[in-house]
Each structure stands twice: as C-alpha cells, then as structure tokens.
Amino acid sequence: MNTMKALWMSVLFLVLDLSISARAQCPSQDPELIPWNPVSDENRDEVIDGQKYLLVNSTELRSITILNSGRLVIADSGTPIKIRVRWILIDTDGEFHIGSPECPHQSPVEIALFGRSDEGSPDPTFGRKFIGVRENGTIVIHGQTKLAWTFLERPIIEGSVDPIVYLVDDASTWSPGDRVVVASSDYDWTHAEEFDLAQCSSCQPSQVQLTGTVQYAHSGQLTAEQVDVRAEVALLTRNIKIYGEMEPDCYAGNMCQFFDYDTFGGHTRVLAGVRRAHFYGAELYNMGQQMVGNYPINFHLVGEAYGLVAQQLSIHDCFSRCVAIQSSNGVHIEDVVGYNTLGHCFFLADGNEQDNLFVHNLGLLTKSGTIVPSDRNAEMCAGILDGVYPGHMPDVEKECMGVSTFWISHPNNSFVNNSAAGSEQNGFFFVFHRVPTRLSSGTLPPFHGERSPLQLFQGNRGHSNNNTGFFMDRGVKVEAASQEYPAETLSLQDYARYMPHENRDILQPRVPAIIKDFTAYKNRMGLFVRGGDIFIRGARLTDNDIGVQMMSDIGLPPDAGSHQEVVGSILVSTSNADDEWQNRTYPSVGIQFCEGPLYIGDNLFFEYRSIGDRQAYGVGFCPQHTGQITHSLHIPYNTFDAGSNRAYFGRVGGIWGSYDSDGDMTQSFHDAVGSLTGEQMVYAVRHDNRLMQRDDGSCFHDSELNAAICSGLEYGQIFINVSTKATDLLIQRDPPTDGYTLRMQGSNRLDTVNYPDSTQFQPVLVANDSYRIQWTGQFPNSVTLNPVNFRQWTYIRLALHYRGAASISVRRVVWQQMENVITAQQPLILGSSVGDVDSDPNGLTYYFDSTFLYVKLVNRFPFVDFYYCPLEGCQMIWIDATSLDH
C-alpha cells in the first residue's frame, strides 16, 4: 500500500472511531449497563458471559474474562478505581472500555497485574500477568489528552535547583505533581533526568517548574548554524495507569545473571481478528517480560490492522520493548513516549510488517535486553548460548549489540517527526530479513524487504546515541543454528544490501530511499547507510564523530547504476568545541565514504577545524578499508566556512597503525567545480600511489589535503578476480621505469566463508596507459579482468606474469550483472607481438611472450551515470592457465 493510502485509511478509521463513539454515547453512560461491585478475592475468577457491567468500585480478583457480547465499562464518576488482577482476557465478542475518543475518561484508573513467573499454570496463549484480546474482542482505553512531549525553549543549567523551564509548546495540560523526563542532549545516553512538577503560580502556559537539583546540562536552543539540538521534555504521568506489581529482587528464571531487579512485569497482547484495539492516554510501567511476545503493547499476528491505535501513551520503566508490531499491517502509533526500557523500543518484529504509521513518538534511555541477539550487549551475547550451535562463541560486535529505539525490519512503513533521544546503541535501525521469520515464516517471498521502496521517512531525529542516530544496513540470520552456520537465529549478519525497486523487481526501475530532513547530534555516527539508491536530503548534523558514513559493497555494487547522495544538508563539526568534544578519540568527519559511487553536493560544512589533538575535516575516506574505492565520487558545489579543513587523504589522527590497505591506497574523488581542491575538473588521489599519477606535470601535491591533484587525466578501475587466496598482487608501470610497485592484498582475502577459494583486487589506474601485474606466489589458474568506470574508448593495457605456463586460453565475456548471465563470449585472437595488442582498438587480441601475457581492456560503449559497467554488460577478459608443474 502506498503512503497516501495508508495515511487516508488512518484518517478514515479515526473519523469512524469518532462517529461510532458519538452515536453510542459515553461508554459509562450506557443505560444497558448494570452497576457491578464484585467482592474482592484474589483467588476468584470472574467471567462476564453476555452481561453488561459498569464497574463502580475498586476490586481485587484472580482474573476477569469477558466474552459472548459481555461488556465491562469502568465508571467515570470522579472516584479512583483500581483493578488488581492476575489477568484480564477479552475473549470472543467481549468488550472492555475505559472512556472513548468522544468521552475521554477523566477519573483515575489503575490496573495492577500481579503474580510471579513461577506461580500457577500459564495461559497457553498469553502466559501470565496479562491483558489479552482475542478474535472479535474489543478494547478501548482512552484517557485524558495531554501534551505528550515537547522541546526546551531555553537551556537548563547543570546544578540549578527547582528551575522554571521554558518549553516550545503549551504545557497547560500538565499538572503539579506530574512526573516528566528531560532527555540527554550530550554524548552520554544515560543523562536523561526525571523531575516532579511543582505548583507554579507565576508560570506561563509554556513554562513549568521542576523540583530538585539538575544533574546535567540540557540544551535549549538551535546552534549558530540552525541545527536543532534542543532536549526533549516528556510527560510520564497519566490518569489511566496499567502496571505490573514487582518483587523486591530478581528471582530464579528471570535472567538474574544480568539483572539485579525483577523483570517479570505485566504485558498486553492483541491477536488476529480483533474487532477493535484502541490505546490512548494511558501510562504503562513495570510492563514487559524478558520473553518473546510479552511486551507492554503487542499487536501480535493481527494481519490487516488498519484502525488499531496506540496514541498518547507514556511507557516507562519497562522490561521488554515499548510497542511491538508482529506480522501486523496498518497500525497507527502516535505521540507515544518510551522511556527506560529493555530491548528494542518501537519494534517491527518479523520482517513482514508494512503500512504502519509512526508519528511524533519519542524513545529515550533504550537499554540492552536478552530476548533476541540484537537486543543484547556484549556480556549477554557471550553468556546466552542456548540458541547457538554447540561450541560456537558469538562474535559479540557482529552478531549482537544492536539495541535500537526504532527497530525497523521492513522499509514499507512511514516515520514522521519521531525522536530517538538516547540508546545504548542506535536510534533508528533499518534491518532486513531475507525472508520473514518466526511465526511469520512463509508470508512473503525472499528479498521482499531488501527490495521494497521506503514508504516515508521525514523530519525524524536521533541524538545522544552511543553508536548511530540512523543505521540502514545488515540483516538477521533466518536459518536455525547449524554446524555450517552456527550463530543463533536472528543474530545480526552482514548479508543484506538494500536495493529498492519498483514492484521489488531488480530488473525494473530503481526507487530511491529518501531520508528527508533528519537531525542528528552527539552520536558516534549521525547516519550510516549501505546499499543502492539511498538519498539523504536536508539533513542537519552536528557534534557527531562522523556525520554520515556511506558504503555500497567492497566489490561490485550489487545494484547496478545505483548510488548514494547527501544533498542540501548542513554538517557541523562542533557547536562549542568543549572538552567533551576535544577528548573524543575519533577524528571529526562530516561525510566519510568507504566505496561508492556517490554524489555529495550543495552542502554546507562548518567548524571542521583541528583543535588540540583532535583532527577534523569535512569529507574523507574510511580508514584501513580493504574494499574498492571508486574514482566515481562526485563532490561538487559544497561550501566550507573559513578555516574548515575540507578533505584529507592518508593516515589521520594517529589512532590507527598501518594505512596501506587496498582501499586506502586507491583513495580518490572527482572535483568538477573546485569546491574541495580549488581546481576545476580535477581528480584528487592518494599522494603516494604513483600509479594514479603521471610525471608529466599533470599532477601537483596539495599539502593541505595530503593529496595529488591531477588534471587532464582519465581513470579506470579493474576488478581482478583470481582463483586462489595464496597470493598478493603486485602492480607496476610497463615498463617499470620509476621502480614503484603497488602491493594489494585483496578486498575479500579474509572472507573464507563467502569466498573460500578466490580473491578480488580492485586497483584504480590512469587510463590509456600500460601496467605490469605479477603475483607473490604461483600464478592463479583462473583470472577475470573486469574494467569498470571506463569512459568510452578508454583502455588499459596489462602485462600479466605467466612464466611457466603450459597452456593459456583467453576469451572475452560479456556479463549482465543484474540478470547474472553471460550474454556473449568469444576467444581472443593470438597476435604476433605486443604491437598487435596495442593496435587493436577493440581489445580482441592477446600476445604471450613466454613470460608475460598482454591484453588490452577497452570500453567500447558509453559510460552511463553511476553504472560501473556499460548498459551493454560488463566486458571482461577471462584467462585460464595451467602450469608446467601440473
């Protein structure tokens, strides 16, 4: 379903919701209701089977079950009502009401769910300590409408006592005695603070008075560059409270090796076929359990869930997630605050959830949990081994450590004006399931999520996260643990590459994923993206170690013709250059790129100045990178303030050792208008890689960039795939007149799982020139040479060392990447001299002089946009050889 349809359906259901409520009067005023005042007995089960009751007083029972057109409504008479119960089950055709959209409930209500995890027999569907809604059940909870959260208008000073604070919005719906939380606005995600509100007769509608001493400074202004770094302030108190009663300490069976407190709270679950589920204006705390499916709010396998709502909720101090959506489509989540919770907070579970709408929600203090590997921190990852293959010890940084405030397992959902304001790891995490997992297995075809367009992502913000504000990459393991693949199911994996296309068909046009108007500050990394067409537009980024990091793949980008963009954005190294900023170890980088292709244009860079021991620069390369760096990096029309370091090549910051990995040595970008180099139509290349330069005056050294600036040169890149892992690649000019040799180790040399017997090398070389290739070991039996990013009719002539070869065959192969098919092949013609190779404009001749095999790589077709190969296909030369030793 497209974005507009999803939005219109949400509006339609809201209108229907209001009209139904208006016709039906206020729920507590229904004349059919019979006043109900059951005798309290915590061992008694009450079944409302067809009766229509109005609960007028507090009660304590073992359970309440409502079914067969039975209805339970909570009276709204001004008298507080508390229900203490082990569970409430809204069974078939049962209804449970506390207020309605037309008549919000005004009186205090508490639902206390009690019980231990080791008491009695659990319900086979819902377990223990729950509110459950079955098929054709109805639950409507609608409390008072209040301002859910806002921003500080002015800063709060560390150490201030009982301060009056200025807010952006009218907070007159907040009351003395209400509790609020102020988000961290520094690098420490734990620096959120709770306060009670005081009576304040002098306060204006957008002012409140806090009680107590402020422990940390909280920002309340825009930076000089107009980046919004104001801290959020959220309401925790609501008149309807749903909570679990807790034991004083953790007890057996509840992961007490990781928690010193009870984590067995209550939970709420809505099942398939529900008639109506409406949660509004309630406070949920001590909810959730460290068990799959038992969360504060869980829309569980509902399927078509249009019209189901979670809105104006304060979910805090909970033990697993905030709002979970599992195999459900069309849920509307708005103005929900999720604070101090374990595991992913706003959670799309199985990889098939679509058309869900998240608007103006806030999550903060998102902590690690134990339920799935991505929830876990390093200690939990290493200590929970039940799901791994025997003997496997998880790689904690790769398989776990992904806990995120917004965990998004399918891109066909909408996120507007949400805030991720402090997580142990990430703010927003777009992760991909190759196929839907767990109970949703088989509901979508393979690659559905990886190839679906992003529905809508606009106006969101991520700050004070320990890792990233926004992360779009990686997958989860969908198979069971095995000897071959020993990691636990749902462990994080690196297989996924996001490639959005029309109808999820990679042979149809690409559909860019647009990350629009994202704000990120005081994260280790503002945004990390990897995959196909991902466009960052209008971002506002400040005080991140890395503003944006972009990757495609270490080899050939998997989505031919795609690229990534950062356009029309503001990037600021630091808003105040305080000790907190200066003491961070990683250099401050605006945009860091690992591979390509990409376009970085029309951006503003501010304050990228090295201060003290910390270096800063606007754009740069991923350090110690083994993969390809293409010269097709286009960085035009960017503006830097006076004094900012625009770019830097080579070793930076002194925190790494060697800086001569394959990707390091091929660093390069194209500067069309001079915004980085001051020179138009030039390439900036690694200064000590002489194969990317000429000694004819085409290049000069720029000490500020630590790069060579070259004009009038064309470049080409060769993907060299060899059938061995036992050799390095040595490249020289041919003939080797300057004595310089570039040694490459291979981009996938260490990957023995996906590439057990092959290695790929990816040099960038000056085009229309000749080079010599040798091996540190025996020459490979099979070699493919794929020229990429060649302009039409440019060439590179190679002399490959094959001394001792008993036989050699050379053929030209045309390969279509997206179809993964060879469309043409022909043997090359053996010439009588190197001159025959040089004089063949089509590159269809080879020559072997018993030591070197000479071939010419030529692109005969137009170079199109960001395609590495021509549209006619990759024009590879394939060499097979045997040695005299075999």
Side-chain angles (χ1 to χ4, degrees):
M1 181 176 292
N2 61 39
T3 305
M4 290 306 300
K5 186 173 181 182
L7 292 171
W8 276 112
M9 289 197 72
S10 294
V11 173
L12 173 62
F13 278 110
L14 179 60
V15 171
L16 290 174
D17 207 22
L18 291 172
S19 63
I20 291 170
S21 298
R23 291 197 305 271
Q25 304 176 312
C26 297
S28 62
Q29 297 174 4
D30 187 340
E32 294 185 354
L33 296 175
I34 300 169
W36 190 50
N37 188 14
V39 175
S40 291
D41 180 354
E42 69 170 35
N43 296 311
R44 179 180 168 195
D45 296 315
E46 279 285 351
V47 178
I48 302 174
D49 187 354
Q51 300 93 343
K52 296 175 174 58
Y53 286 150
L54 178 69
L55 183 64
V56 295
N57 285 308
S58 298
T59 189
E60 181 177 354
L61 299 164
R62 181 173 182 268
S63 69
I64 298 174
T65 300
I66 313 166
L67 73 165
N68 295 333
S69 299
R71 186 189 310 166
L72 177 60
V73 180
I74 309 304
D76 191 7
S77 62
T79 300
I81 291 179
K82 177 178 179 178
I83 304 173
R84 184 173 183 268
V85 67
R86 288 185 182 272
W87 72 81
I88 298 174
L89 175 59
I90 301 135
D91 213 328
T92 304
D93 292 323
E95 297 185 23
F96 180 66
H97 297 266
I98 308 175
S100 70
E102 182 66 18
C103 293
H105 198 91
Q106 300 300 313
S107 306
V109 174
E110 293 184 25
I111 300 176
L113 299 168
F114 71 92
R116 292 167 54 102
S117 62
D118 54 4
E119 289 180 334
S121 298
D123 180 271
T125 300
F126 296 100
R128 299 177 173 90
K129 214 168 174 179
F130 64 85
I131 299 174
V133 189
R134 289 189 187 275
E135 184 178 7
N136 289 321
T138 294
I139 184 169
V140 177
I141 297 174
H142 198 107
Q144 297 172 357
T145 298
K146 295 197 172 191
L147 176 67
W149 62 277
T150 183
F151 297 100
L152 289 176
E153 182 65 26
R154 299 182 187 179
I156 303 177
I157 307 302
E158 178 183 349
S160 57
V161 179
D162 298 341
I164 293 176
V165 300
Y166 292 75
L167 305 175
V168 169
D169 295 301
D170 185 335
S172 56
T173 55
W174 296 359
S175 303
D178 283 352
R179 195 156 182 83
V180 299
V181 59
V182 183
S184 173
S185 58
D186 59 37
Y187 288 104
D188 193 326
W189 63 282
T190 67
H191 284 179
E193 299 188 71
E194 296 180 45
F195 300 94
D196 292 327
L197 298 185
Q199 182 70 47
C200 180
S201 58
S202 64
C203 287
Q204 298 300 309
S206 59
Q207 294 176 319
V208 294
Q209 185 172 10
L210 310 181
T211 60
T213 302
V214 177
Q215 300 297 313
Y216 311 107
H218 300 273
S219 176
Q221 70 285 319
L222 277 63
T223 69
E225 300 81 16
Q226 299 303 295
V227 181
D228 188 351
V229 296
R230 296 175 294 188
E232 297 85 352
V233 185
L235 179 67
L236 300 179
T237 304
R238 296 285 182 163
N239 68 309
I240 299 173
K241 303 179 189 298
I242 304 171
Y243 60 91
E245 291 186 359
M246 309 307 295
E247 299 295 313
D249 299 296
C250 190
Y251 55 94
N254 291 301
M255 294 291 178
C256 298
Q257 67 270 41
F258 306 118
F259 306 107
D260 59 3
Y261 51 89
D262 182 10
T263 60
F264 193 76
H267 70 100
T268 300
R269 191 187 302 176
V270 176
L271 299 185
V274 62
R275 181 171 296 163
R276 193 175 178 202
H278 178 100
F279 302 93
Y280 184 104
E283 176 184 354
L284 295 90
Y285 63 95
N286 290 347
M287 297 288 282
Q289 301 163 5
Q290 285 294 291
M291 301 171 63
V292 173
N294 294 357
Y295 312 133
I297 300 284
N298 184 8
F299 297 96
H300 181 75
L301 305 178
V302 177
E304 297 299 291
Y306 299 95
L308 305 193
V309 173
Q311 192 171 356
Q312 284 263 327
L313 303 178
S314 297
I315 302 173
H316 63 89
D317 300 289
C318 288
F319 311 117
S320 63
R321 321 217 183 286
C322 303
V323 178
I325 299 175
Q326 183 176 17
S327 199
S328 303
N329 305 324
V331 181
H332 184 150
I333 312 296
E334 183 171 358
D335 272 332
V336 174
V337 174
Y339 162 65
N340 193 22
T341 57
L342 302 180
H344 308 305
C345 180
F346 298 95
F347 180 63
L348 299 179
D350 288 353
N352 67 341
E353 297 81 12
Q354 301 181 75
D355 267 345
N356 299 290
L357 178 63
F358 293 79
V359 179
H360 200 254
N361 302 290
L362 168 65
L364 63 165
L365 207 65
T366 305
K367 301 176 180 179
S368 293
T370 65
I371 295 177
V372 296
S374 56
D375 282 325
R376 299 170 190 159
N377 60 25
E379 179 189 10
M380 297 168 180
C381 188
I384 301 174
L385 303 177
D386 296 346
V388 306
Y389 190 79
H392 175 69
M393 179 54 66
D395 184 328
V396 297
E397 292 187 358
K398 290 184 177 180
E399 297 176 29
C400 303
M401 296 181 66
V403 68
S404 304
T405 300
F406 292 84
W407 179 263
I408 306 161
S409 62
H410 198 290
N412 190 28
N413 294 278
S414 292
F415 296 83
V416 180
N417 296 337
N418 301 284
S419 183
S423 166
E424 191 169 344
Q425 290 297 331
N426 307 295
F428 297 84
F429 196 143
F430 280 82
V431 70
F432 301 96
H433 293 228
R434 181 59 48 85
V435 292
T437 53
R438 296 187 290 197
L439 296 176
S440 302
S441 178
T443 58
L444 292 176
F447 297 99
H448 195 281
E450 290 173 72
R451 296 173 182 175
S452 289
L454 174 63
Q455 193 173 92
L456 181 64
F457 192 89
Q458 181 173 339
N460 301 290
R461 46 195 277 130
H463 68 86
S464 306
N465 296 289
N466 203 39
N467 191 20
T468 66
F470 177 97
F471 195 94
M472 179 176 273
D473 184 36
R474 307 199 73 191
V476 295
K477 186 171 182 285
V478 299
E479 310 91 357
S482 64
Q483 186 173 6
E484 184 178 9
Y485 302 107
E488 183 177 345
T489 303
L490 298 181
S491 294
L492 286 168
Q493 304 283 294
D494 281 331
Y495 67 77
R497 297 294 181 267
Y498 184 39
M499 300 161 51
H501 282 254
E502 287 184 8
N503 300 313
R504 300 168 301 281
D505 182 348
I506 59 173
L507 301 183
Q508 294 192 29
R510 300 183 304 276
V511 181
I514 298 177
I515 314 303
K516 188 173 182 181
D517 301 334
F518 187 70
T519 298
Y521 66 92
K522 299 207 170 172
N523 308 283
R524 189 182 73 82
M525 193 177 296
L527 300 97
F528 178 99
V529 299
R530 177 159 62 174
D533 283 335
I534 304 172
F535 297 172
I536 298 167
R537 303 270 175 83
R540 301 292 182 264
L541 313 174
T542 187
D543 293 282
N544 304 287
D545 291 348
I546 301 170
V548 182
Q549 181 162 309
M550 297 187 288
M551 301 180 73
S552 58
D553 212 319
I554 62 170
L556 197 66
D559 196 4
S562 67
H563 70 289
Q564 290 136 29
E565 290 187 1
V566 181
V567 173
S569 298
I570 294 174
L571 300 102
V572 185
S573 173
T574 176
S575 54
N576 55 19
D578 57 11
D579 290 342
E580 186 182 26
W581 182 87
Q582 293 187 44
N583 291 334
R584 295 179 72 80
T585 57
Y586 200 96
S588 175
V589 189
I591 301 175
Q592 183 165 279
F593 29 82
C594 301
E595 291 137 3
L598 54 83
Y599 180 93
I600 300 170
D602 298 294
N603 302 294
L604 302 176
F605 293 82
F606 295 94
E607 303 295 335
Y608 282 94
R609 301 177 182 86
S610 299
I611 301 175
D613 293 331
R614 192 175 192 205
Q615 291 189 310
Y617 49 101
V619 300
F621 302 88
C622 294
Q624 295 184 329
H625 185 56
T626 62
Q628 57 98 6
I629 288 283
T630 177
H631 56 286
S632 295
L633 307 178
H634 301 280
I635 313 179
Y637 304 110
N638 296 284
T639 301
F640 297 79
D641 68 341
S644 275
N645 299 320
R646 289 174 286 181
Y648 197 83
F649 286 69
R651 190 169 183 229
V652 177
I655 65 172
W656 299 286
S658 63
Y659 208 87
D660 55 3
S661 297
D662 289 5
D664 301 330
M665 294 306 298
T666 54
Q667 292 175 350
S668 59
F669 61 74
H670 185 248
D671 191 358
V673 299
S675 63
L676 288 180
T677 64
E679 304 286 335
Q680 296 184 8
M681 299 306 295
V682 298
Y683 285 92
V685 303
R686 175 78 180 244
H687 76 97
D688 53 352
N689 182 347
R690 287 158 59 183
L691 298 185
M692 298 177 70
Q693 306 169 49
R694 279 186 180 159
D695 297 328
D696 58 1
S698 303
C699 304
F700 67 90
H701 185 258
D702 185 319
S703 59
E704 180 181 345
L705 298 181
N706 195 33
I709 310 302
C710 300
S711 60
L713 299 184
E714 292 285 352
Y715 289 87
Q717 189 171 18
I718 308 173
F719 282 14
I720 305 171
N721 197 73
V722 304
S723 59
T724 180
K725 285 193 174 294
T727 185
D728 288 353
L729 186 73
L730 306 177
I731 310 178
Q732 300 173 306
R733 297 190 189 281
D734 186 48
T737 54
D738 59 4
Y740 176 77
T741 300
L742 174 65
R743 184 172 186 142
M744 306 190 81
Q745 297 176 328
S747 62
N748 56 2
R749 184 70 167 272
L750 300 179
D751 187 348
T752 59
V753 175
N754 298 304
Y755 305 94
D757 53 11
S758 65
T759 309
Q760 184 163 275
F761 307 92
Q762 298 154 159
V764 176
L765 303 168
V766 177
N768 305 321
D769 216 334
S770 301
Y771 302 89
R772 178 175 294 183
I773 289 179
Q774 301 185 76
W775 325 98
T776 56
Q778 172 69 36
F779 61 76
N781 292 329
S782 180
V783 175
T784 57
L785 307 171
N786 183 11
V788 299
N789 293 309
F790 276 46
R791 298 289 176 185
Q792 187 174 20
W793 297 118
T794 58
Y795 71 88
I796 289 176
R797 196 254 281 157
L798 296 178
L800 298 99
H801 191 268
Y802 276 96
R803 178 179 292 170
S807 65
I808 293 179
S809 67
V810 187
R811 55 193 161 122
R812 175 179 177 267
V813 172
V814 179
W815 173 65
Q816 285 290 350
Q817 178 187 349
M818 300 308 286
E819 293 88 345
N820 192 25
V821 295
I822 292 175
T823 56
Q825 55 182 316
Q826 64 185 111
L828 267 62
I829 300 170
L830 176 62
S832 59
S833 68
V834 177
D836 291 343
V837 177
D838 289 337
S839 62
D840 183 348
N842 295 307
L844 298 178
T845 303
Y846 77 98
Y847 173 69
F848 181 49
D849 65 4
S850 78
T851 298
F852 287 99
L853 171 69
Y854 294 87
V855 294
K856 186 177 182 180
L857 302 173
V858 181
N859 176 27
R860 298 187 292 171
F861 302 105
F863 180 83
V864 179
D865 297 328
F866 295 95
Y867 284 86
Y868 273 38
C869 296
L871 298 180
E872 289 77 5
C874 298
Q875 304 159 78
M876 301 188 293
I877 290 180
W878 194 314
I879 304 167
D880 291 306
T882 60
S883 69
L884 294 172
D885 298 334
H886 289 77

